[in-house]
Amino acid sequence: MDYRGIFEDAVDSLRAEKRYRVFADLERIAGRFPKALFRDEADNAREITIWCSNDYLGMGQHQTVIAAMQETAGRLGVGAGGTRNISGTNRPLVELERSLADLHRKEGALVFTSGFVSNEAAISTIARLLPDCVIFSDQLNHASMIQGVRQSGMQKQIFRHNDVAHLRELLAATDRKRPKLICFESVYSMDGDVAPIKAICDLAEEFGALTYIDEVHAVGMYGERGGGIAERDGLMDRIDIIEGTLAKGFGVMGGYIAANKSIIDAVRSYAPEFIFTTALPPALCAAARASIEHLKTSQTERAMQQRQARLLKAMLTDAGLPVMETDTHIVPVMVGDARQCKAASDLLLEKHNIYIQPINYPTVPKGTERLRITPTPLHSDEMIFALRHALVSVWTRLELPREPADAAITASKLTSGDLTLPNFGG
Ligand SMILES: *Cc1c(COP(=O)(O)O)cnc(C)c1O
């Protein structure tokens, strides 16, 4: 049996479809965010600017956060020492969960090793504990939520992206007596659009459903204290389970849910993804908590991020580049072709020392390949001018489409035939 050949063929088929992924070898420079050293295949290093980081506020390099991690590692050491059950629950982790419960004004919170794991564990466990439950899941939900839905083994109904009328239809067609769980995101990371949270909560109330929201791309960044879009819109109390990550806006690592005590206790007691894995190390918990607490009171990072996002969108639109309109900090620039998208990304790195990774299928639908730009509070106006110049030059050289109408076939315009589209974004 040619085992090696089987693996190579599998990867070759990705290459043939232009879906083979290459990772950039980057070394971030603490204190100089968003600058990093890039090493090419010959290991030659040069300085570049990162324009696609999910460390959305640069908190991964914030002095207070770094200090919390260093100080705690010095005092408590590095590892957690076991699962939460076997000597792994540590003081900083307990404090982190309190900080998160307070952030979302919920009775409790539960921390997992990643946002991915928190979605998979929480959705599957909650649904399994509800007898004969039906899960209503947005068509563009993240791979980790899809995984949770699958893992639960419960019946699922996929509603068209952000389509409240379709969700209502599906809810109305379901036996009133069956438990229902509606799973959706607040900010969708590839199109940067926002869910109609209030309308979904109204439906949940009308049909007696639980609501589960993934605020991964919003926590730290929206709301008076960084509680996300639900906080901004005054809707946190209408959501039963709020899920978030400690790795993006908060700049560290780990995932969590916040909910009432009964839900937290049930997931804590039943989810294998929580029970049978080593807890997050104390230093990491302390760093995450420092980041959350900082962002509860500081508006500077949020305000600057919004300012730089507005400036960037205006500059790129003005330069005739096909920027997809969004209400958030996410700025997609449409290319519409996998090979061209990769070529644009390569050119930006080679000629302009700018790193923006290409976003291709299956993360986004075919024909909507794009560069996904994430301006942060630490991208200066000069960096924005340099990015515009670089993009214009790449667009000219590759003769890429300029009209948003040509390329911006947004995911929301997909027909129901595409409902099974896998989404591996993140
Ligand atoms: C990145 C992402 C996750 C997973 O969070 P991690 O902490 O990176 O594992 C979950 N949901 C969405 C929408 C994401 O984009």
Side-chain angles (χ1 to χ4, degrees):
M1 179 72 80
D2 177 17
Y3 288 112
R4 194 176 172 125
I6 294 172
F7 295 120
E8 286 169 359
D9 286 350
V11 173
D12 280 346
S13 74
L14 292 181
R15 277 205 190 85
E17 294 175 45
K18 305 287 168 215
R19 284 171 52 193
Y20 182 70
R21 292 170 190 241
V22 183
F23 299 149
D25 178 349
L26 299 174
E27 183 177 332
R28 302 208 293 164
I29 309 166
R32 296 194 47 219
F33 190 99
K35 298 284 183 187
L37 292 177
F38 166 73
R39 280 188 183 76
D40 63 20
E41 276 154 34
D43 252 9
N44 296 315
R46 63 175 205 274
E47 193 174 300
I48 56 126
T49 306
I50 300 179
W51 270 106
C52 56
S53 175
N54 279 345
D55 186 353
Y56 288 125
L57 300 172
M59 293 306 287
Q61 298 187 9
H62 196 283
Q63 275 311 314
T64 313
V65 179
I66 295 174
M69 186 176 278
Q70 287 174 331
E71 191 273 328
T72 309
R75 262 187 321 120
L76 279 75
V78 291
T83 64
R84 293 289 290 273
N85 195 37
I86 305 174
S87 91
T89 283
N90 54 77
R91 181 68 194 167
L93 182 42
V94 172
E95 290 171 334
L96 171 60
E97 285 176 342
R98 279 189 196 151
S99 168
L100 286 165
D102 168 70
L103 174 66
H104 294 294
R105 309 270 190 228
K106 296 289 179 197
E107 291 171 10
L110 193 67
V111 167
F112 300 80
T113 43
S114 75
F116 192 105
V117 172
S118 66
N119 269 334
E120 182 181 330
I123 293 174
S124 64
T125 304
I126 290 166
R128 257 183 289 147
L129 289 172
L130 298 169
D132 200 24
C133 169
V134 187
I135 304 174
F136 299 84
S137 179
D138 187 286
Q139 168 196 3
L140 291 189
N141 275 345
H142 187 259
S144 55
M145 301 175 81
I146 295 172
Q147 189 63 24
V149 172
R150 279 202 193 118
Q151 186 91 352
S152 75
M154 293 292 153
Q155 190 192 339
K156 65 163 191 284
Q157 296 280 11
I158 314 278
F159 58 95
R160 282 190 294 272
H161 178 53
N162 282 348
D163 187 335
V164 179
H166 190 216
L167 175 58
R168 162 180 284 281
E169 240 173 71
L170 294 173
L171 283 164
T174 305
D175 185 345
R176 283 204 79 94
K177 289 196 285 297
R178 291 179 72 179
K180 302 171 188 71
L181 178 67
I182 306 175
C183 296
F184 61 113
E185 301 180 24
S186 61
V187 175
Y188 286 83
S189 71
M190 291 302 144
D191 291 352
D193 56 335
V194 177
I197 303 178
K198 182 174 179 301
I200 291 176
C201 290
D202 289 345
L203 279 184
E205 207 169 293
E206 185 180 339
F207 291 93
L210 282 180
T211 45
Y212 182 108
I213 197 168
D214 173 320
E215 288 250 39
V216 160
H217 295 280
V219 286
M221 292 171 276
Y222 296 89
E224 180 63 26
R225 299 198 307 156
I229 300 283
E231 186 197 16
R232 185 193 71 183
D233 296 353
L235 296 166
M236 278 201 298
D237 62 332
R238 299 195 62 198
I239 306 272
D240 295 292
I241 303 110
I242 299 178
E243 185 272 346
T245 184
L246 304 170
K248 291 172 185 170
F250 294 127
V252 189
M253 192 177 179
Y256 66 89
I257 56 166
N260 70 37
K261 278 209 166 104
S262 321
I263 291 176
I264 296 298
D265 206 25
V267 175
R268 186 185 72 86
S269 308
Y270 277 97
E273 299 91 338
F274 173 81
I275 299 171
F276 300 105
T277 193
T278 299
L280 282 192
L284 218 141
C285 298
R289 176 162 164 263
S291 180
I292 295 161
E293 290 301 324
H294 176 84
L295 290 171
K296 275 183 191 171
T297 51
S298 172
Q299 304 301 332
T300 319
E301 292 80 9
R302 282 189 278 279
M304 268 308 277
Q305 182 193 34
Q306 290 300 320
R307 178 193 181 275
Q308 298 315 77
R310 270 196 306 275
L311 178 63
L312 176 68
K313 285 180 203 169
M315 300 270 306
L316 300 190
T317 306
D318 185 56
L321 292 159
V323 179
M324 202 165 143
E325 265 184 57
T326 71
D327 299 325
T328 59
H329 58 282
I330 293 164
V331 185
V333 181
M334 304 307 284
V335 178
D337 174 83
R339 202 176 41 78
Q340 293 278 63
C341 197
K342 174 81 169 66
S345 171
D346 289 346
L347 263 183
L348 283 170
L349 190 56
E350 280 157 29
K351 304 280 180 226
H352 304 277
N353 295 323
I354 283 171
Y355 177 56
I356 308 175
Q357 148 233 26
I359 306 275
N360 288 342
Y361 176 84
T363 305
V364 295
K366 284 182 177 150
T368 73
E369 290 82 357
R370 66 195 70 178
L371 298 177
R372 173 182 179 272
I373 308 178
T374 53
T376 73
L378 297 165
H379 285 90
S380 66
D381 293 2
E382 289 70 32
M383 288 176 194
I384 293 177
F385 301 149
L387 175 63
R388 176 182 66 169
H389 171 79
L391 285 172
V392 167
S393 142
V394 165
W395 247 250
T396 305
R397 176 142 164 203
L398 296 176
E399 296 175 9
L400 296 177
R402 298 232 177 207
E403 284 298 307
D406 290 354
I409 314 152
T410 65
S412 55
K413 289 185 196 127
L414 291 174
T415 62
S416 54
D418 300 305
L419 281 183
T420 50
L421 177 87
N423 182 353
F424 297 108

